[in-house]
């Protein structure tokens, strides 16, 4: 188990069945089969974030306490994005700015979100589709930044899964964009993580 080099090297080959759109569930199942129990728990924590019913203060506490640096850093960023979106909506709707903001520790403020200006600029976009694409592009780049020093480890696999979930989302919103993102993801893996 935990032969990360083998798993990562196989990622671009996961979509060789002639389909135009990737079978994201099959790709995730293939990844899951190759991970240890501990790594599966880490992956499951990441995947829990795609269930709105689980995305609450308790989830962010679990992520902040994770043994995995990618999980800790990614969800610190994600909490910043989430709160920036809520603040933007509050301003737009004329509600108190702090309404519905997730605070991890009521005794102190959340860590400063350094990319707030960048996210706010995206949220000011002309239409909802461009804002959503802008936020997903932001996440894509952030994942690259979080894994810049990683080569063959679990963090690369987790980053791949985040990007795969972005692909899956865009296949539902705009199929052509989803296919384009998947081709980009496969190209990145081939160029940066092949043995």
């Amino acid at each position: 188990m935990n032969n990360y080099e083998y798993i990562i090297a196989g990622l671009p080959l996961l979509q060789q069945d002639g389909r135009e759109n990737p079978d994201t569930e099959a790709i995730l199942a293939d990844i899951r089969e190759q991970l240890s129990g501990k790594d599966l728990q880490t992956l499951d924590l990441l995947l829990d974030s795609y269930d709105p019913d689980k995305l609450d203060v308790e989830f962010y506490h679990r992520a902040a306490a994770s043994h995995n640096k990618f999980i800790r850093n990614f969800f610190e960023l994600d909490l910043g994005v989430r709160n920036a979106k809520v603040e933007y909506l509050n301003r737009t709707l004329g509600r108190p700015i702090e309404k519905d903001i997730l605070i991890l520790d009521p005794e102190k403020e959340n860590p400063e979100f350094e990319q707030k200006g960048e996210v706010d600029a995206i949220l000011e976009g002309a239409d909802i589709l461009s804002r959503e694409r802008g936020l997903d592009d932001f996440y894509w780049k952030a994942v690259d930044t979080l894994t810049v020093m990683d080569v063959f480890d679990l963090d690369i696999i987790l980053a791949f899964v985040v990007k795969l979930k972005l692909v899956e989302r865009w296949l539902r919103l705009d199929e052509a964009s989803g296919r384009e993102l998947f081709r980009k993801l496969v190209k990145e893996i081939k160029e940066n993580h092949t043995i």
Side-chain angles (χ1 to χ4, degrees):
M1 280 300 198
N2 290 348
N3 186 351
Y4 299 131
E5 295 89 350
Y6 176 78
I7 297 170
I8 294 165
L11 292 176
L13 303 174
L14 294 174
Q15 183 55 31
Q16 297 292 327
D17 61 4
R19 293 177 189 221
E20 201 161 318
N21 293 339
D23 183 347
T24 56
E25 290 305 313
I27 293 170
L28 283 172
D30 191 51
I31 291 169
R32 293 179 67 80
E33 285 177 8
Q34 301 176 68
L35 294 176
S36 70
K38 181 179 177 185
D39 287 348
L40 275 174
Q41 289 177 345
T42 305
L43 177 61
D44 286 341
L45 179 60
L46 174 65
L47 293 173
D48 280 350
S49 72
Y50 296 96
D51 180 347
D53 294 335
K54 295 181 179 178
L55 205 56
D56 56 13
V57 171
E58 176 57 34
F59 171 83
Y60 285 102
H61 277 291
R62 286 177 33 224
S66 174
H67 68 279
N68 180 274
K69 75 174 172 58
F70 178 85
I71 293 290
R72 289 190 312 271
N73 293 335
F74 179 75
F75 286 108
E76 181 179 326
L77 175 93
D78 185 66
L79 180 62
V81 171
R82 181 213 184 278
N83 283 339
K85 286 167 56 175
V86 170
E87 285 180 13
Y88 172 79
L89 286 173
N90 287 342
R91 279 193 310 273
T92 303
L93 299 173
R95 298 179 354 174
I97 203 80
E98 69 282 347
K99 185 171 178 56
D100 298 324
I101 296 293
L102 282 183
I103 299 174
L104 294 184
D105 184 350
E107 301 295 317
K108 56 185 179 180
E109 292 183 21
N110 285 338
E112 183 179 336
F113 180 45
E114 295 176 7
Q115 296 95 336
K116 187 174 183 322
E118 187 178 347
V119 171
D120 284 345
I122 293 168
L123 293 171
E124 296 290 340
D127 64 85
I128 191 164
L129 202 59
S130 66
R131 288 191 298 262
E132 291 301 313
R133 181 61 189 257
L135 287 172
D136 286 347
D137 288 346
F138 172 85
Y139 275 114
W140 193 286
K141 290 177 200 156
V143 164
D144 287 341
T145 301
L146 291 175
T147 57
V148 74
M149 299 303 288
D150 298 293
V151 182
F152 291 110
D153 61 13
L154 180 61
D155 290 356
I156 292 297
I157 296 167
L158 297 172
F160 176 87
V161 170
V162 169
K163 291 179 177 182
L164 186 65
K165 294 303 264 181
L166 293 173
V167 168
E168 182 179 62
R169 180 171 189 259
W170 279 94
L171 285 169
R172 287 191 310 269
L173 293 174
D174 177 19
E175 194 171 320
S177 291
R179 275 191 245 117
E180 173 193 332
L181 281 175
F182 186 70
R183 284 190 296 273
K184 178 180 175 183
L185 178 55
V186 170
K187 182 179 180 209
E188 285 178 5
I189 290 293
K190 284 181 179 178
E191 288 177 354
N192 301 321
H193 303 290
T194 53
I195 304 175

